[in-house]
Protein backbone atom coordinates (compact mmCIF):
# COMPACT_ATOMS: atom_id res chain seq x y z
CA UNK A 1 0.00 0.00 0.00
CA UNK A 2 1.22 3.48 -0.86
CA UNK A 3 -0.56 6.71 -0.07
CA UNK A 4 -2.03 8.20 -3.21
CA UNK A 5 -1.10 5.17 -5.30
CA UNK A 6 -3.32 2.44 -3.90
CA UNK A 7 -2.33 -1.18 -3.38
CA UNK A 8 0.30 -2.77 -5.57
CA UNK A 9 0.67 -6.55 -5.76
CA UNK A 10 4.23 -7.77 -6.29
CA UNK A 11 4.73 -10.67 -8.66
CA UNK A 12 5.85 -13.84 -6.86
CA UNK A 13 9.49 -14.50 -7.64
CA UNK A 14 10.79 -17.95 -8.37
CA UNK A 15 12.17 -19.59 -5.26
CA UNK A 16 14.60 -22.46 -5.43
CA UNK A 17 15.03 -25.48 -3.17
CA UNK A 18 18.00 -24.83 -0.95
CA UNK A 19 20.38 -27.66 -0.09
CA UNK A 20 22.75 -27.40 2.84
CA UNK A 21 25.07 -30.21 1.76
CA UNK A 22 26.52 -28.35 -1.23
CA UNK A 23 28.83 -25.42 -1.65
CA UNK A 24 27.30 -22.18 -2.87
CA UNK A 25 29.13 -22.59 -6.18
CA UNK A 26 27.69 -26.06 -6.73
CA UNK A 27 24.22 -24.90 -5.66
CA UNK A 28 24.31 -22.13 -8.27
CA UNK A 29 25.56 -24.54 -10.95
CA UNK A 30 22.60 -26.86 -10.24
CA UNK A 31 20.30 -23.87 -10.69
CA UNK A 32 21.92 -23.10 -14.06
CA UNK A 33 23.59 -19.97 -12.73
CA UNK A 34 27.21 -18.89 -12.57
CA UNK A 35 28.39 -18.21 -9.04
CA UNK A 36 30.81 -15.45 -8.22
CA UNK A 37 31.63 -13.36 -5.20
CA UNK A 38 32.60 -9.87 -4.24
CA UNK A 39 35.01 -9.87 -1.31
CA UNK A 40 33.93 -7.08 1.02
CA UNK A 41 36.48 -7.69 3.78
CA UNK A 42 39.28 -10.09 4.65
CA UNK A 43 41.84 -10.32 7.44
CA UNK A 44 44.05 -12.76 9.31
CA UNK A 45 44.64 -13.33 12.98
CA UNK A 46 44.69 -15.84 15.81
CA UNK A 47 41.60 -17.24 17.49
CA UNK A 48 40.80 -15.85 20.92
CA UNK A 49 37.48 -15.59 22.75
CA UNK A 50 37.17 -11.88 21.92
CA UNK A 51 37.40 -12.26 18.13
CA UNK A 52 35.92 -15.65 17.32
CA UNK A 53 32.51 -17.30 17.38
CA UNK A 54 31.94 -19.40 20.51
CA UNK A 55 31.96 -22.58 18.39
CA UNK A 56 35.67 -21.93 17.69
CA UNK A 57 36.82 -21.05 21.22
CA UNK A 58 38.35 -24.54 21.61
CA UNK A 59 40.78 -23.49 18.82
CA UNK A 60 42.22 -20.56 20.85
CA UNK A 61 45.63 -19.63 19.44
CA UNK A 62 45.00 -21.18 16.03
CA UNK A 63 45.56 -18.99 12.95
CA UNK A 64 42.44 -17.94 11.07
CA UNK A 65 41.36 -16.20 7.88
CA UNK A 66 38.27 -13.99 8.10
CA UNK A 67 36.26 -13.37 4.95
CA UNK A 68 33.07 -11.46 4.17
CA UNK A 69 31.67 -12.08 0.69
CA UNK A 70 28.63 -10.96 -1.22
CA UNK A 71 27.55 -14.04 -3.20
CA UNK A 72 25.96 -13.79 -6.63
CA UNK A 73 24.05 -16.11 -8.95
CA UNK A 74 24.78 -14.64 -12.39
CA UNK A 75 24.51 -10.90 -11.70
CA UNK A 76 21.95 -11.14 -8.88
CA UNK A 77 23.06 -10.84 -5.24
CA UNK A 78 21.83 -13.95 -3.44
CA UNK A 79 23.59 -14.01 -0.07
CA UNK A 80 26.02 -12.39 2.31
CA UNK A 81 28.52 -14.77 3.94
CA UNK A 82 30.83 -14.15 6.87
CA UNK A 83 33.41 -16.92 7.35
CA UNK A 84 36.11 -17.67 9.87
CA UNK A 85 38.45 -20.34 8.50
CA UNK A 86 40.99 -22.11 10.72
CA UNK A 87 44.14 -22.15 8.56
CA UNK A 88 46.32 -24.67 10.43
CA UNK A 89 45.71 -27.18 7.62
CA UNK A 90 45.61 -24.63 4.80
CA UNK A 91 48.31 -21.98 5.31
CA UNK A 92 48.39 -19.26 2.68
CA UNK A 93 44.65 -19.47 2.03
CA UNK A 94 44.45 -15.67 2.10
CA UNK A 95 46.48 -15.54 -1.13
CA UNK A 96 43.61 -16.89 -3.25
CA UNK A 97 41.14 -14.76 -5.18
CA UNK A 98 37.81 -15.47 -3.51
CA UNK A 99 36.07 -13.15 -5.95
CA UNK A 100 36.37 -15.97 -8.50
CA UNK A 101 37.36 -19.18 -6.70
CA UNK A 102 35.36 -21.54 -4.52
CA UNK A 103 36.69 -22.06 -0.99
CA UNK A 104 35.73 -25.77 -0.96
CA UNK A 105 37.27 -26.31 -4.40
CA UNK A 106 40.54 -24.72 -3.23
CA UNK A 107 40.59 -26.91 -0.11
CA UNK A 108 40.10 -30.08 -2.17
CA UNK A 109 42.38 -29.17 -5.07
CA UNK A 110 45.33 -27.47 -3.39
CA UNK A 111 45.25 -28.72 0.20
CA UNK A 112 43.73 -32.20 -0.39
CA UNK A 113 41.17 -31.43 2.32
CA UNK A 114 37.65 -32.75 1.88
CA UNK A 115 34.66 -31.34 3.75
CA UNK A 116 33.22 -34.43 5.44
CA UNK A 117 30.55 -32.95 7.70
CA UNK A 118 28.64 -29.70 7.99
CA UNK A 119 26.50 -28.85 11.01
CA UNK A 120 23.86 -26.28 10.09
CA UNK A 121 21.54 -24.15 12.15
CA UNK A 122 18.74 -22.39 10.30
CA UNK A 123 16.83 -19.35 11.46
CA UNK A 124 15.21 -16.27 10.03
CA UNK A 125 15.67 -12.54 10.42
CA UNK A 126 14.89 -9.36 8.58
CA UNK A 127 17.27 -7.27 6.49
CA UNK A 128 18.84 -4.24 8.15
CA UNK A 129 19.92 -1.21 6.10
CA UNK A 130 23.29 -2.66 5.06
CA UNK A 131 22.08 -6.16 4.16
CA UNK A 132 19.11 -4.70 2.25
CA UNK A 133 21.41 -2.45 0.22
CA UNK A 134 23.93 -5.21 -0.54
CA UNK A 135 21.28 -7.81 -1.41
CA UNK A 136 19.16 -5.31 -3.38
CA UNK A 137 16.04 -5.88 -1.31
CA UNK A 138 13.96 -3.65 0.97
CA UNK A 139 14.88 -3.05 4.58
CA UNK A 140 12.79 -5.41 6.68
CA UNK A 141 12.52 -8.09 3.97
CA UNK A 142 12.95 -11.65 5.30
CA UNK A 143 16.30 -13.41 5.22
CA UNK A 144 17.16 -17.07 5.72
CA UNK A 145 20.10 -17.30 8.14
CA UNK A 146 22.27 -20.41 7.96
CA UNK A 147 25.06 -20.87 10.48
CA UNK A 148 27.47 -23.64 9.45
CA UNK A 149 30.31 -25.41 11.20
CA UNK A 150 32.36 -27.43 8.67
CA UNK A 151 34.70 -30.32 9.38
CA UNK A 152 37.32 -31.94 7.16
CA UNK A 153 37.64 -35.70 6.83
CA UNK A 154 40.08 -36.02 9.76
CA UNK A 155 37.41 -34.59 12.10
CA UNK A 156 39.01 -31.16 12.52
CA UNK A 157 36.78 -28.11 12.40
CA UNK A 158 37.89 -25.83 9.58
CA UNK A 159 35.20 -23.21 9.07
CA UNK A 160 32.44 -21.30 10.82
CA UNK A 161 30.15 -19.36 8.48
CA UNK A 162 27.04 -17.27 8.89
CA UNK A 163 25.11 -16.77 5.66
CA UNK A 164 22.19 -14.43 5.09
CA UNK A 165 20.20 -15.52 2.02
CA UNK A 166 17.36 -13.71 0.32
CA UNK A 167 14.14 -15.46 1.34
CA UNK A 168 12.56 -14.47 -1.98
CA UNK A 169 15.08 -16.71 -3.74
CA UNK A 170 15.36 -19.71 -1.43
CA UNK A 171 13.09 -22.08 0.40
CA UNK A 172 14.47 -24.74 2.71
CA UNK A 173 12.62 -27.96 3.31
CA UNK A 174 13.57 -31.26 4.88
CA UNK A 175 12.09 -34.74 4.82
CA UNK A 176 12.78 -37.10 7.68
CA UNK A 177 11.46 -40.52 8.58
CA UNK A 178 8.77 -40.39 11.18
CA UNK A 179 9.46 -42.69 14.12
CA UNK A 180 6.41 -43.49 16.20
CA UNK A 181 6.75 -43.75 19.90
Amino acid sequence: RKAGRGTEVKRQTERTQFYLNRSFTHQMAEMGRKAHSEVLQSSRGFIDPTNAPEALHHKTGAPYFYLIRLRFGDSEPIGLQTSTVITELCPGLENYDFNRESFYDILARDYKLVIAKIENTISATTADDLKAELLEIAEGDPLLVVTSLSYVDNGEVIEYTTSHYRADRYVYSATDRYIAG
Side-chain angles (χ1 to χ4, degrees), residues 136-154:
E136 298 178 5
I137 57 177
E139 182 180 356
D141 276 1
L143 296 172
L144 179 67
V145 182
V146 180
T147 303
S148 305
L149 194 57
S150 302
Y151 299 82
V152 290
D153 54 1
N154 70 1

Side-chain angles (χ1 to χ4, degrees), residues 104-131:
Y104 287 174
D105 288 350
I106 291 167
L107 286 182
R109 181 188 69 226
D110 296 349
Y111 294 99
K112 308 302 183 229
L113 297 171
V114 176
I115 299 297
K117 180 173 90 170
I118 304 172
E119 296 173 354
N120 295 294
T121 303
I122 304 163
S123 60
T125 192
T126 56
D128 59 21
D129 268 350
L130 178 61
K131 288 180 186 73

